């Protein structure tokens, strides 16, 4: 079931494959997908100062892909997207080793992913994300996924069964006990805003597969529906469309794609035991193409979460972040077993 997230869930007793923590400036990151969202994530990671960033994308630059992708010069149509993004990406921070890989991510063997401390997947199929997530979990590699569909965007993170981090908190000052004629007089503790202390914490994550396979037929899950972001169900619909068509909904085929999206909505929600009314009839009007402002917001959050996870500083978002550009707001929520 899903619960509104708690930033610090603890489960320190579970086993996890051993992998030495690496600081941010010693970390290598794989970024798959160089559309608008991928460009935002690449920018944020390069400016943050990771050791190396490999940008993987086999697609070619089109007129549409340039609209939300600021790393590609407008005259580079027909070139590979990762290669076309390389020069401007490297210019952002010469201290970061930026590489372009033009292979299809689906053809990469398992060993390829093991050279990175974090893997970030954008524009990928559900099956591929589940496969890479399971691989990363086995080798304690941090996994992130994200996409932008029109006004909507999301990110998902799986940092393993035991993600350790530190959080900076104001220091609590215990005052001295003063003596009086009636005996010791206790004083309340105070928080000193000028001093801070670092507190060690642990958060536990679940796999993407489990996060997407919530059982909505039990009463506890049904009772939480009114607090559940509808974007969670929209994500299911859009990933199913991507699986069935091998692409995302496209404005040039709006009528046919809108009809198919509504049919997928009905089928997906029925399979979950839910009413199709969860996603209103006009949801199809707001999930075509990438919008640059939405890419900026989701890419900012996604890049920030990768940096936080690699540096092991501050509480991570657990485990979904959904952004609704129509409302101009985002929500963090947890889906999966507790």
């Amino acid at each position: 079931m899903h619960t509104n997230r708690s930033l610090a869930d603890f489960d320190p007793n579970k086993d996890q494959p051993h992998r030495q923590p690496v600081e941010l400036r010693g970390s290598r990151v794989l970024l798959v997908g160089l559309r608008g969202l991928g460009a935002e994530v690449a920018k944020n990671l390069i400016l943050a100062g990771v050791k190396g960033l490999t940008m993987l994308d086999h697609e070619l630059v089109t007129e549409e892909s340039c609209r939300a992708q600021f790393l590609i010069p407008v005259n580079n149509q027909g070139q590979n997207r990762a290669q076309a993004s390389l020069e401007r990406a490297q210019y952002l921070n010469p201290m970061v080793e930026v590489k372009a890989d033009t292979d299809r991510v689906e053809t990469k063997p398992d060993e390829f992913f093991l050279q990175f401390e974090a893997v970030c997947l954008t524009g990928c199929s559900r099956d591929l994300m589940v496969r890479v997530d399971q691989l990363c979990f086995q080798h304690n590699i941090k996994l992130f996924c994200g996409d932008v569909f029109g006004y909507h965007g999301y990110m998902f993170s799986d940092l393993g069964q035991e993600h350790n981090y530190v959080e900076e908190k104001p220091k609590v000052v215990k005052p001295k006990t003063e003596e009086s004629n009636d005996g010791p007089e206790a004083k309340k503790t105070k928080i000193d805003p000028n001093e801070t202390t670092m507190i060690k914490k642990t958060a536990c994550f679940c796999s993407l597969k489990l996060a997407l396979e919530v059982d909505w037929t039990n009463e506890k899950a049904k009772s939480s529906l009114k607090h559940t972001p509808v974007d969670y169900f929209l994500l299911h619909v859009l990933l199913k469309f991507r699986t069935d068509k091998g692409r995302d909904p496209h404005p040039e085929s709006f009528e046919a794609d809108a009809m198919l999206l509504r049919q997928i909505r009905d089928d997906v929600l029925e399979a979950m035991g839910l009413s199709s009314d969860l996603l209103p009839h006009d949801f199809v009007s707001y999930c075509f193409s990438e919008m640059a402002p939405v890419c900026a917001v989701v890419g900012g959050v996604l890049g920030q979460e990768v940096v936080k996870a690699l540096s092991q500083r501050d509480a991570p978002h657990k485990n979904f972040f959904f952004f609704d550009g129509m409302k101009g707001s985002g929500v963090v929520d947890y889906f999966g077993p507790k």
Side-chain angles (χ1 to χ4, degrees), residues 262 265 279-286:
R262 291 192 180 103
R265 171 201 61 180
L279 281 176
H281 196 68
D282 66 346
F283 83 94
V284 297
S285 301
Y286 310 107

Side-chain angles (χ1 to χ4, degrees), residues 81-130:
R81 276 201 304 228
Q83 197 67 45
S85 303
L86 183 59
E87 183 176 357
R88 288 183 175 178
Q90 183 65 80
Y91 184 76
L92 291 170
N93 189 345
M95 300 299 291
V96 177
E97 301 171 16
V98 185
K99 299 178 181 178
D101 191 323
T102 61
D103 292 344
R104 293 183 67 97
V105 63
E106 292 85 358
T107 66
K108 291 293 190 182
D110 290 354
E111 293 74 20
F112 170 76
F113 299 94
L114 305 186
Q115 61 185 300
F116 304 100
E117 279 69 47
V119 173
C120 182
L121 306 175
T122 69
C124 296
S125 68
R126 173 174 172 159
D127 287 347
L128 177 71
M129 290 190 292
V130 168

Side-chain angles (χ1 to χ4, degrees), residues 30-58:
L30 171 66
L31 171 63
V32 177
L34 266 295
R35 297 194 299 179
L37 177 60
E40 290 285 351
V41 176
K43 174 200 71 177
N44 293 325
L45 294 179
I46 293 169
L47 291 177
V50 296
K51 180 177 179 60
L53 178 69
T54 298
M55 305 184 299
L56 174 64
D57 195 324
H58 72 282

Side-chain angles (χ1 to χ4, degrees), residues 210-230:
L210 290 176
L212 293 175
E213 292 181 351
V214 175
D215 179 9
W216 295 98
T217 60
N218 68 69
E219 292 304 316
K220 195 169 184 181
K222 285 182 179 179
S223 66
S224 67
L225 270 177
K226 61 182 179 180
H227 304 297
T228 303
V230 295

Side-chain angles (χ1 to χ4, degrees), residues 60-66 72-80 84:
L60 301 180
V61 178
T62 63
E63 182 181 354
E64 182 187 8
S65 65
C66 290
I72 299 177
V74 293
N75 60 346
N76 281 27
Q77 290 189 36
Q79 296 186 26
N80 172 269

